[in-house]
Amino acid sequence: MPHFSRRTLLGMTAAAPFTFGALAQAATPADAKFEALAKGWVDASLRLSPVGATQIGDHRFDDLIDDMGPKGRAAVVKLATETLTALQATPRAQLSRANQVDAAILENQVRSDLWTTQTLQPYAWDPLTWNAVAGGALYTLTAREFAPLDVRLRSATARMERLPAFLAQARANLVPARVPKIHADTVVGQNKGLHSLVDGIVADGAKLPPADRARLEAAAKTCKAAIDEHQKWLETVLVPAAKGEFRLGAELYDAKLAFALNSPLSRAEIKTRALAEMTALRATMYAISAKVLVGKPGAPPTPQSPTEGERQAAIEAALEFAYAKKPPRTKLVEAAEACLVQATAFVREKNIVTVPNDPVKIGLVPEFQRGVAVAYCDAPGPLDKGQQTYYKISPIPDDWTDAQADSFLREYNSLGIQEVTVHEAMPGHYLQLAHANAYPSVLRAVLSSGSFVEGWACYAEDVMADEGYLDRDPLYLLVHLKLQLRVCANALLDQAVHVDGISRDDAMKLMTVQAFQQEREAAGKWVRAQLSQAQLPTYFVGWEEHKALRKQAEAKWGKAFTLKRYHDGILAYGSPPARFAGQLLFDLPIA
């Protein structure tokens, strides 16, 4: 299916117009032709992915579900091929600078769509792609109040009526022998979570007129039976037969990485930079740890020129003081809410960047999405004005032992939750995506760059620490640096898993020893690295790119540089790959 931004986007109205390019620039004939091409691609892509359309904010297809079978895939290939041919005939030099960027982004995407559909073929071996559409079909209709409840419930009813056929299509297209066991095991848990979505819709259905309520309840009953049938197939057919290889291998990985990053950085360059950054971060952490441990009973030695063992012991000992500050296992949301208030006040006080007024709410990750990431930002889409942003946190599973919960809370201690809140909300994803949604190009919003978005959130963590957040508490700085160390480890882990064949033991050593992660965090990341490809490096690559852009602005503007001028400026172009944002901001050739 066509790619849409990873974040969940909801729209305001099907009649909302699509606008392309920078509105202040007069369109040339070449611009007009390109904008028609771009509009046509967006429209056709949304028709091919009704669930994606709901996410973006086009509600013409809220009663439909994607066709991910042979006919739907053939339509994706046809659209991508025709769009690529038209793009190759487009005189890029005659386009406005904004449209040159959009043309480059669109070309990268249609090439990715062709490669993904024809070569990678996730529809045949990754059941999580099917589950994402099945869950998203219902979740996107219930998460936000983009339309009256009765309208959304009628759409949900229609989709529940179509879900049995969609799940049957999944069973017909998945090839159990090609499915990796980790993917099969994960989808077994996620599929069960679909029940809670249906139950929530049924509960809201009590507000419908009798005829609509009766149809909804009948659809829900049939849908839940289909979910149970699919669950039985997953457990009795897919899991036993799942023998696929979760590692992509160099050729597939490098291709996916290039499309995901849309950056000139190669896999080898990413590895070299990440290793160097890890070394520098560990040195800084040791210097802070040495100060933290002064006068502490039983503290390990902190010589000026430590051995690797001495450095490791000192940092681990200092981090223990941060781990001691942790919330109760049932109070993660409340802890994050307090952090959000504190971080927002600090950003305003320091005049770091313009703070949006869009609403943001913290809640738990829905069941059907659990098992991959600990936290994420679920932002509204470009056509969804004034709707809620959600900062979601995965709860500690009820079946975890106290020791497992303690391991998790040591990682996500009170200072760690501060850092996660900075990343996911303020001034990280929530703030950046609110700025991005103000940019007029819907094409650019639909095809937002993961490395720009994730890189900004990592860079935002640096800004807060540099500006003195939490009064430069050395324990907070240690946790901050530890989480940036995780960014480096993510990039190294991803290619080590999919290309280098790293074992679980060695992967755990990278994360728990080199990056000081707790066992539960590292175990979860090992699963995530097997389930995803080329997403974990987006944090590091984007972080590197944002740091470089900041240095470029400081050098170019000199005494005229201010944080707010730079941040408002770089966030004013949506979420394109970072090099394009810099080229637009500094008036450089688009390349």
Side-chain angles (χ1 to χ4, degrees), residues 27-68:
T28 65
D31 283 317
K33 188 174 181 179
F34 168 73
E35 289 172 10
L37 170 65
K39 181 177 181 179
W41 181 86
V42 171
D43 183 71
S45 295
L46 297 179
R47 288 179 183 277
L48 289 174
S49 181
V51 175
T54 304
Q55 292 173 335
I56 297 304
D58 182 348
H59 295 286
R60 292 174 294 170
F61 319 111
D62 280 358
D63 58 337
L64 303 176
I65 295 181
D66 303 25
D67 177 1
M68 292 173 57

mmCIF file of all heavy atoms in Angstrom, residues 27-68:
data_model
loop_
_atom_site.group_PDB
_atom_site.id
_atom_site.type_symbol
_atom_site.label_atom_id
_atom_site.label_comp_id
_atom_site.label_asym_id
_atom_site.label_seq_id
_atom_site.Cartn_x
_atom_site.Cartn_y
_atom_site.Cartn_z
ATOM 1 N N ALA A 27 2.801 30.584 -9.207
ATOM 2 C CA ALA A 27 3.070 29.326 -9.884
ATOM 3 C C ALA A 27 3.422 29.569 -11.341
ATOM 4 O O ALA A 27 2.749 30.325 -12.041
ATOM 5 C CB ALA A 27 1.853 28.420 -9.776
ATOM 6 N N THR A 28 4.490 28.937 -11.814
ATOM 7 C CA THR A 28 4.828 28.924 -13.228
ATOM 8 C C THR A 28 4.011 27.810 -13.882
ATOM 9 O O THR A 28 3.408 26.985 -13.189
ATOM 10 C CB THR A 28 6.319 28.637 -13.414
ATOM 11 O OG1 THR A 28 6.582 27.303 -12.932
ATOM 12 C CG2 THR A 28 7.177 29.633 -12.640
ATOM 13 N N PRO A 29 3.988 27.727 -15.204
ATOM 14 C CA PRO A 29 3.313 26.589 -15.839
ATOM 15 C C PRO A 29 3.855 25.246 -15.349
ATOM 16 O O PRO A 29 3.097 24.297 -15.156
ATOM 17 C CB PRO A 29 3.588 26.815 -17.332
ATOM 18 C CG PRO A 29 3.716 28.306 -17.456
ATOM 19 C CD PRO A 29 4.402 28.747 -16.194
ATOM 20 N N ALA A 30 5.187 25.185 -15.139
ATOM 21 C CA ALA A 30 5.773 23.937 -14.636
ATOM 22 C C ALA A 30 5.280 23.643 -13.226
ATOM 23 O O ALA A 30 4.994 22.489 -12.881
ATOM 24 C CB ALA A 30 7.298 24.025 -14.661
ATOM 25 N N ASP A 31 5.159 24.685 -12.393
ATOM 26 C CA ASP A 31 4.634 24.502 -11.042
ATOM 27 C C ASP A 31 3.197 24.003 -11.075
ATOM 28 O O ASP A 31 2.818 23.089 -10.338
ATOM 29 C CB ASP A 31 4.696 25.817 -10.260
ATOM 30 C CG ASP A 31 6.086 26.147 -9.757
ATOM 31 O OD1 ASP A 31 6.763 25.230 -9.269
ATOM 32 O OD2 ASP A 31 6.483 27.316 -9.853
ATOM 33 N N ALA A 32 2.382 24.621 -11.926
ATOM 34 C CA ALA A 32 0.981 24.224 -12.008
ATOM 35 C C ALA A 32 0.859 22.755 -12.423
ATOM 36 O O ALA A 32 0.040 22.004 -11.883
ATOM 37 C CB ALA A 32 0.241 25.122 -12.995
ATOM 38 N N LYS A 33 1.687 22.348 -13.379
ATOM 39 C CA LYS A 33 1.647 20.963 -13.848
ATOM 40 C C LYS A 33 2.091 20.008 -12.744
ATOM 41 O O LYS A 33 1.485 18.946 -12.529
ATOM 42 C CB LYS A 33 2.535 20.813 -15.081
ATOM 43 C CG LYS A 33 2.410 19.455 -15.770
ATOM 44 C CD LYS A 33 3.202 19.430 -17.074
ATOM 45 C CE LYS A 33 3.048 18.081 -17.782
ATOM 46 N NZ LYS A 33 3.795 18.049 -19.059
ATOM 47 N N PHE A 34 3.169 20.390 -12.022
ATOM 48 C CA PHE A 34 3.634 19.519 -10.942
ATOM 49 C C PHE A 34 2.603 19.434 -9.830
ATOM 50 O O PHE A 34 2.350 18.353 -9.283
ATOM 51 C CB PHE A 34 4.963 20.007 -10.365
ATOM 52 C CG PHE A 34 5.313 19.296 -9.080
ATOM 53 C CD1 PHE A 34 5.742 17.983 -9.101
ATOM 54 C CD2 PHE A 34 5.148 19.927 -7.844
ATOM 55 C CE1 PHE A 34 6.018 17.300 -7.927
ATOM 56 C CE2 PHE A 34 5.423 19.254 -6.670
ATOM 57 C CZ PHE A 34 5.865 17.943 -6.706
ATOM 58 N N GLU A 35 2.016 20.572 -9.466
ATOM 59 C CA GLU A 35 1.047 20.556 -8.372
ATOM 60 C C GLU A 35 -0.170 19.705 -8.726
ATOM 61 O O GLU A 35 -0.746 19.037 -7.860
ATOM 62 C CB GLU A 35 0.654 21.982 -8.010
ATOM 63 C CG GLU A 35 1.799 22.726 -7.316
ATOM 64 C CD GLU A 35 1.534 24.202 -7.115
ATOM 65 O OE1 GLU A 35 0.385 24.628 -7.346
ATOM 66 O OE2 GLU A 35 2.472 24.922 -6.734
ATOM 67 N N ALA A 36 -0.560 19.696 -10.010
ATOM 68 C CA ALA A 36 -1.648 18.815 -10.437
ATOM 69 C C ALA A 36 -1.235 17.351 -10.314
ATOM 70 O O ALA A 36 -2.024 16.496 -9.886
ATOM 71 C CB ALA A 36 -2.042 19.142 -11.879
ATOM 72 N N LEU A 37 0.023 17.069 -10.673
ATOM 73 C CA LEU A 37 0.544 15.708 -10.533
ATOM 74 C C LEU A 37 0.559 15.286 -9.070
ATOM 75 O O LEU A 37 0.130 14.178 -8.713
ATOM 76 C CB LEU A 37 1.959 15.634 -11.121
ATOM 77 C CG LEU A 37 2.752 14.338 -10.852
ATOM 78 C CD1 LEU A 37 2.083 13.153 -11.536
ATOM 79 C CD2 LEU A 37 4.195 14.507 -11.326
ATOM 80 N N ALA A 38 1.046 16.163 -8.201
ATOM 81 C CA ALA A 38 1.131 15.850 -6.777
ATOM 82 C C ALA A 38 -0.250 15.651 -6.171
ATOM 83 O O ALA A 38 -0.487 14.705 -5.408
ATOM 84 C CB ALA A 38 1.876 16.966 -6.045
ATOM 85 N N LYS A 39 -1.175 16.531 -6.547
ATOM 86 C CA LYS A 39 -2.536 16.397 -6.034
ATOM 87 C C LYS A 39 -3.155 15.086 -6.499
ATOM 88 O O LYS A 39 -3.824 14.387 -5.725
ATOM 89 C CB LYS A 39 -3.391 17.579 -6.487
ATOM 90 C CG LYS A 39 -4.822 17.525 -5.975
ATOM 91 C CD LYS A 39 -5.604 18.757 -6.399
ATOM 92 C CE LYS A 39 -7.042 18.688 -5.854
ATOM 93 N NZ LYS A 39 -7.826 19.886 -6.231
ATOM 94 N N GLY A 40 -2.910 14.744 -7.752
ATOM 95 C CA GLY A 40 -3.447 13.489 -8.278
ATOM 96 C C GLY A 40 -2.870 12.286 -7.561
ATOM 97 O O GLY A 40 -3.587 11.315 -7.282
ATOM 98 N N TRP A 41 -1.569 12.344 -7.250
ATOM 99 C CA TRP A 41 -0.953 11.215 -6.529
ATOM 100 C C TRP A 41 -1.555 11.066 -5.135
ATOM 101 O O TRP A 41 -1.876 9.950 -4.707
ATOM 102 C CB TRP A 41 0.560 11.397 -6.426
ATOM 103 C CG TRP A 41 1.202 10.252 -5.710
ATOM 104 C CD1 TRP A 41 1.607 9.070 -6.245
ATOM 105 C CD2 TRP A 41 1.454 10.154 -4.300
ATOM 106 N NE1 TRP A 41 2.102 8.232 -5.269
ATOM 107 C CE2 TRP A 41 2.023 8.872 -4.068
ATOM 108 C CE3 TRP A 41 1.264 11.012 -3.225
ATOM 109 C CZ2 TRP A 41 2.399 8.444 -2.795
ATOM 110 C CZ3 TRP A 41 1.632 10.589 -1.948
ATOM 111 C CH2 TRP A 41 2.197 9.318 -1.746
ATOM 112 N N VAL A 42 -1.689 12.182 -4.418
ATOM 113 C CA VAL A 42 -2.265 12.106 -3.078
ATOM 114 C C VAL A 42 -3.684 11.549 -3.142
ATOM 115 O O VAL A 42 -4.052 10.637 -2.394
ATOM 116 C CB VAL A 42 -2.257 13.482 -2.387
ATOM 117 C CG1 VAL A 42 -3.062 13.436 -1.093
ATOM 118 C CG2 VAL A 42 -0.834 13.929 -2.085
ATOM 119 N N ASP A 43 -4.486 12.068 -4.064
ATOM 120 C CA ASP A 43 -5.866 11.623 -4.170
ATOM 121 C C ASP A 43 -5.938 10.128 -4.493
ATOM 122 O O ASP A 43 -6.691 9.370 -3.866
ATOM 123 C CB ASP A 43 -6.591 12.431 -5.246
ATOM 124 C CG ASP A 43 -8.062 12.045 -5.355
ATOM 125 O OD1 ASP A 43 -8.833 12.374 -4.431
ATOM 126 O OD2 ASP A 43 -8.431 11.395 -6.354
ATOM 127 N N ALA A 44 -5.139 9.694 -5.471
ATOM 128 C CA ALA A 44 -5.154 8.279 -5.858
ATOM 129 C C ALA A 44 -4.641 7.392 -4.729
ATOM 130 O O ALA A 44 -5.160 6.299 -4.488
ATOM 131 C CB ALA A 44 -4.317 8.073 -7.120
ATOM 132 N N SER A 45 -3.614 7.848 -4.024
ATOM 133 C CA SER A 45 -3.063 7.068 -2.916
ATOM 134 C C SER A 45 -4.080 6.890 -1.797
ATOM 135 O O SER A 45 -4.202 5.816 -1.217
ATOM 136 C CB SER A 45 -1.806 7.741 -2.363
ATOM 137 O OG SER A 45 -0.779 7.748 -3.315
ATOM 138 N N LEU A 46 -4.822 7.945 -1.513
ATOM 139 C CA LEU A 46 -5.827 7.855 -0.462
ATOM 140 C C LEU A 46 -6.972 6.943 -0.870
ATOM 141 O O LEU A 46 -7.555 6.236 -0.033
ATOM 142 C CB LEU A 46 -6.338 9.253 -0.105
ATOM 143 C CG LEU A 46 -5.284 10.209 0.479
ATOM 144 C CD1 LEU A 46 -5.903 11.565 0.771
ATOM 145 C CD2 LEU A 46 -4.651 9.632 1.723
ATOM 146 N N ARG A 47 -7.306 6.941 -2.154
ATOM 147 C CA ARG A 47 -8.338 6.021 -2.632
ATOM 148 C C ARG A 47 -7.885 4.572 -2.475
ATOM 149 O O ARG A 47 -8.685 3.689 -2.176
ATOM 150 C CB ARG A 47 -8.665 6.303 -4.099
ATOM 151 C CG ARG A 47 -9.435 7.592 -4.334
ATOM 152 C CD ARG A 47 -9.706 7.830 -5.808
ATOM 153 N NE ARG A 47 -10.372 9.095 -6.000
ATOM 154 C CZ ARG A 47 -11.690 9.288 -5.875
ATOM 155 N NH1 ARG A 47 -12.472 8.255 -5.554
ATOM 156 N NH2 ARG A 47 -12.216 10.476 -6.062
ATOM 157 N N LEU A 48 -6.589 4.333 -2.690
ATOM 158 C CA LEU A 48 -6.068 2.978 -2.575
ATOM 159 C C LEU A 48 -5.914 2.538 -1.125
ATOM 160 O O LEU A 48 -5.818 1.350 -0.850
ATOM 161 C CB LEU A 48 -4.716 2.876 -3.284
ATOM 162 C CG LEU A 48 -4.746 2.946 -4.808
ATOM 163 C CD1 LEU A 48 -3.332 2.970 -5.366
ATOM 164 C CD2 LEU A 48 -5.527 1.774 -5.385
ATOM 165 N N SER A 49 -5.864 3.488 -0.209
ATOM 166 C CA SER A 49 -5.708 3.164 1.210
ATOM 167 C C SER A 49 -6.725 3.940 2.030
ATOM 168 O O SER A 49 -6.419 4.986 2.605
ATOM 169 C CB SER A 49 -4.290 3.488 1.683
ATOM 170 O OG SER A 49 -4.142 3.152 3.047
ATOM 171 N N PRO A 50 -7.968 3.448 2.101
ATOM 172 C CA PRO A 50 -8.992 4.166 2.871
ATOM 173 C C PRO A 50 -8.615 4.406 4.332
ATOM 174 O O PRO A 50 -8.940 5.450 4.895
ATOM 175 C CB PRO A 50 -10.211 3.243 2.758
ATOM 176 C CG PRO A 50 -10.013 2.522 1.470
ATOM 177 C CD PRO A 50 -8.528 2.293 1.383
ATOM 178 N N VAL A 51 -7.923 3.442 4.959
ATOM 179 C CA VAL A 51 -7.508 3.647 6.350
ATOM 180 C C VAL A 51 -6.465 4.762 6.420
ATOM 181 O O VAL A 51 -6.499 5.609 7.313
ATOM 182 C CB VAL A 51 -6.972 2.336 6.956
ATOM 183 C CG1 VAL A 51 -6.427 2.569 8.358
ATOM 184 C CG2 VAL A 51 -8.077 1.281 6.988
ATOM 185 N N GLY A 52 -5.544 4.781 5.450
ATOM 186 C CA GLY A 52 -4.590 5.883 5.385
ATOM 187 C C GLY A 52 -5.288 7.205 5.145
ATOM 188 O O GLY A 52 -4.885 8.240 5.682
ATOM 189 N N ALA A 53 -6.354 7.197 4.340
ATOM 190 C CA ALA A 53 -7.101 8.428 4.085
ATOM 191 C C ALA A 53 -7.711 8.968 5.372
ATOM 192 O O ALA A 53 -7.671 10.175 5.640
ATOM 193 C CB ALA A 53 -8.186 8.169 3.047
ATOM 194 N N THR A 54 -8.277 8.075 6.181
ATOM 195 C CA THR A 54 -8.825 8.511 7.463
ATOM 196 C C THR A 54 -7.720 9.113 8.325
ATOM 197 O O THR A 54 -7.915 10.136 8.988
ATOM 198 C CB THR A 54 -9.467 7.326 8.204
ATOM 199 O OG1 THR A 54 -10.454 6.732 7.367
ATOM 200 C CG2 THR A 54 -10.138 7.793 9.496
ATOM 201 N N GLN A 55 -6.560 8.493 8.309
ATOM 202 C CA GLN A 55 -5.438 9.003 9.095
ATOM 203 C C GLN A 55 -5.034 10.401 8.635
ATOM 204 O O GLN A 55 -4.746 11.269 9.454
ATOM 205 C CB GLN A 55 -4.248 8.059 8.969
ATOM 206 C CG GLN A 55 -4.469 6.708 9.626
ATOM 207 C CD GLN A 55 -3.342 5.740 9.334
ATOM 208 O OE1 GLN A 55 -2.652 5.856 8.324
ATOM 209 N NE2 GLN A 55 -3.158 4.774 10.208
ATOM 210 N N ILE A 56 -5.026 10.629 7.347
ATOM 211 C CA ILE A 56 -4.612 11.921 6.814
ATOM 212 C C ILE A 56 -5.672 12.984 7.020
ATOM 213 O O ILE A 56 -5.370 14.155 7.199
ATOM 214 C CB ILE A 56 -4.277 11.784 5.312
ATOM 215 C CG1 ILE A 56 -3.105 10.834 5.116
ATOM 216 C CG2 ILE A 56 -3.970 13.142 4.684
ATOM 217 C CD1 ILE A 56 -1.864 11.230 5.876
ATOM 218 N N GLY A 57 -6.936 12.578 6.984
ATOM 219 C CA GLY A 57 -8.007 13.541 7.194
ATOM 220 C C GLY A 57 -8.994 13.620 6.057
ATOM 221 O O GLY A 57 -9.847 14.503 6.035
ATOM 222 N N ASP A 58 -8.899 12.734 5.090
ATOM 223 C CA ASP A 58 -9.859 12.676 3.997
ATOM 224 C C ASP A 58 -10.868 11.587 4.350
ATOM 225 O O ASP A 58 -10.552 10.402 4.350
ATOM 226 C CB ASP A 58 -9.132 12.331 2.692
ATOM 227 C CG ASP A 58 -10.064 12.294 1.497
ATOM 228 O OD1 ASP A 58 -11.295 12.300 1.696
ATOM 229 O OD2 ASP A 58 -9.565 12.241 0.353
ATOM 230 N N HIS A 59 -12.103 12.003 4.634
ATOM 231 C CA HIS A 59 -13.093 11.066 5.171
ATOM 232 C C HIS A 59 -14.091 10.568 4.126
ATOM 233 O O HIS A 59 -15.165 10.066 4.481
ATOM 234 C CB HIS A 59 -13.810 11.704 6.369
ATOM 235 C CG HIS A 59 -12.880 11.946 7.509
ATOM 236 N ND1 HIS A 59 -12.405 10.934 8.306
ATOM 237 C CD2 HIS A 59 -12.285 13.079 7.948
ATOM 238 C CE1 HIS A 59 -11.582 11.424 9.217
ATOM 239 N NE2 HIS A 59 -11.490 12.724 9.010
ATOM 240 N N ARG A 60 -13.717 10.651 2.864
ATOM 241 C CA ARG A 60 -14.593 10.127 1.808
ATOM 242 C C ARG A 60 -14.705 8.609 1.874
ATOM 243 O O ARG A 60 -15.669 8.032 1.358
ATOM 244 C CB ARG A 60 -14.052 10.530 0.433
ATOM 245 C CG ARG A 60 -14.126 12.022 0.137
ATOM 246 C CD ARG A 60 -13.424 12.341 -1.176
ATOM 247 N NE ARG A 60 -11.986 12.107 -1.103
ATOM 248 C CZ ARG A 60 -11.187 12.135 -2.173
ATOM 249 N NH1 ARG A 60 -11.688 12.331 -3.388
ATOM 250 N NH2 ARG A 60 -9.894 11.942 -2.031
ATOM 251 N N PHE A 61 -13.712 7.960 2.477
ATOM 252 C CA PHE A 61 -13.649 6.492 2.421
ATOM 253 C C PHE A 61 -13.690 5.852 3.804
ATOM 254 O O PHE A 61 -13.179 4.755 4.007
ATOM 255 C CB PHE A 61 -12.363 6.065 1.692
ATOM 256 C CG PHE A 61 -12.037 6.909 0.493
ATOM 257 C CD1 PHE A 61 -10.940 7.757 0.501
ATOM 258 C CD2 PHE A 61 -12.841 6.869 -0.632
ATOM 259 C CE1 PHE A 61 -10.640 8.549 -0.597
ATOM 260 C CE2 PHE A 61 -12.546 7.647 -1.747
ATOM 261 C CZ PHE A 61 -11.450 8.494 -1.733
ATOM 262 N N ASP A 62 -14.296 6.541 4.748
ATOM 263 C CA ASP A 62 -14.294 6.049 6.131
ATOM 264 C C ASP A 62 -15.030 4.727 6.314
ATOM 265 O O ASP A 62 -14.889 4.079 7.359
ATOM 266 C CB ASP A 62 -14.899 7.098 7.067
ATOM 267 C CG ASP A 62 -13.911 8.204 7.418
ATOM 268 O OD1 ASP A 62 -12.759 8.125 6.963
ATOM 269 O OD2 ASP A 62 -14.308 9.140 8.142
ATOM 270 N N ASP A 63 -15.824 4.340 5.322
ATOM 271 C CA ASP A 63 -16.560 3.085 5.445
ATOM 272 C C ASP A 63 -15.859 1.923 4.751
ATOM 273 O O ASP A 63 -16.367 0.803 4.734
ATOM 274 C CB ASP A 63 -17.969 3.238 4.864
ATOM 275 C CG ASP A 63 -17.959 3.665 3.401
ATOM 276 O OD1 ASP A 63 -16.942 4.252 2.962
ATOM 277 O OD2 ASP A 63 -18.954 3.408 2.695
ATOM 278 N N LEU A 64 -14.658 2.184 4.193
ATOM 279 C CA LEU A 64 -13.955 1.170 3.411
ATOM 280 C C LEU A 64 -12.661 0.742 4.108
ATOM 281 O O LEU A 64 -12.192 1.414 5.020
ATOM 282 C CB LEU A 64 -13.628 1.704 2.016
ATOM 283 C CG LEU A 64 -14.820 2.186 1.179
ATOM 284 C CD1 LEU A 64 -14.328 2.770 -0.137
ATOM 285 C CD2 LEU A 64 -15.800 1.049 0.931
ATOM 286 N N ILE A 65 -12.074 -0.361 3.648
ATOM 287 C CA ILE A 65 -10.794 -0.862 4.148
ATOM 288 C C ILE A 65 -9.894 -1.159 2.953
ATOM 289 O O ILE A 65 -10.378 -1.513 1.871
ATOM 290 C CB ILE A 65 -10.982 -2.135 5.003
ATOM 291 C CG1 ILE A 65 -11.775 -1.805 6.271
ATOM 292 C CG2 ILE A 65 -9.643 -2.731 5.418
ATOM 293 C CD1 ILE A 65 -11.996 -2.993 7.186
ATOM 294 N N ASP A 66 -8.617 -1.034 3.150
ATOM 295 C CA ASP A 66 -7.641 -1.238 2.073
ATOM 296 C C ASP A 66 -7.773 -2.622 1.437
ATOM 297 O O ASP A 66 -8.080 -3.604 2.114
ATOM 298 C CB ASP A 66 -6.216 -1.116 2.615
ATOM 299 C CG ASP A 66 -5.958 0.216 3.299
ATOM 300 O OD1 ASP A 66 -6.923 0.834 3.778
ATOM 301 O OD2 ASP A 66 -4.796 0.617 3.357
ATOM 302 N N ASP A 67 -7.500 -2.671 0.143
ATOM 303 C CA ASP A 67 -7.329 -3.943 -0.559
ATOM 304 C C ASP A 67 -5.827 -4.198 -0.641
ATOM 305 O O ASP A 67 -5.115 -3.541 -1.392
ATOM 306 C CB ASP A 67 -7.935 -3.865 -1.957
ATOM 307 C CG ASP A 67 -7.730 -5.149 -2.762
ATOM 308 O OD1 ASP A 67 -7.130 -6.106 -2.219
ATOM 309 O OD2 ASP A 67 -8.145 -5.184 -3.932
ATOM 310 N N MET A 68 -5.327 -5.156 0.132
ATOM 311 C CA MET A 68 -3.902 -5.473 0.137
ATOM 312 C C MET A 68 -3.605 -6.761 -0.621
ATOM 313 O O MET A 68 -2.508 -7.305 -0.539
ATOM 314 C CB MET A 68 -3.390 -5.557 1.580
ATOM 315 C CG MET A 68 -3.388 -4.202 2.277
ATOM 316 S SD MET A 68 -2.970 -4.266 4.053
ATOM 317 C CE MET A 68 -1.382 -5.047 4.056
#
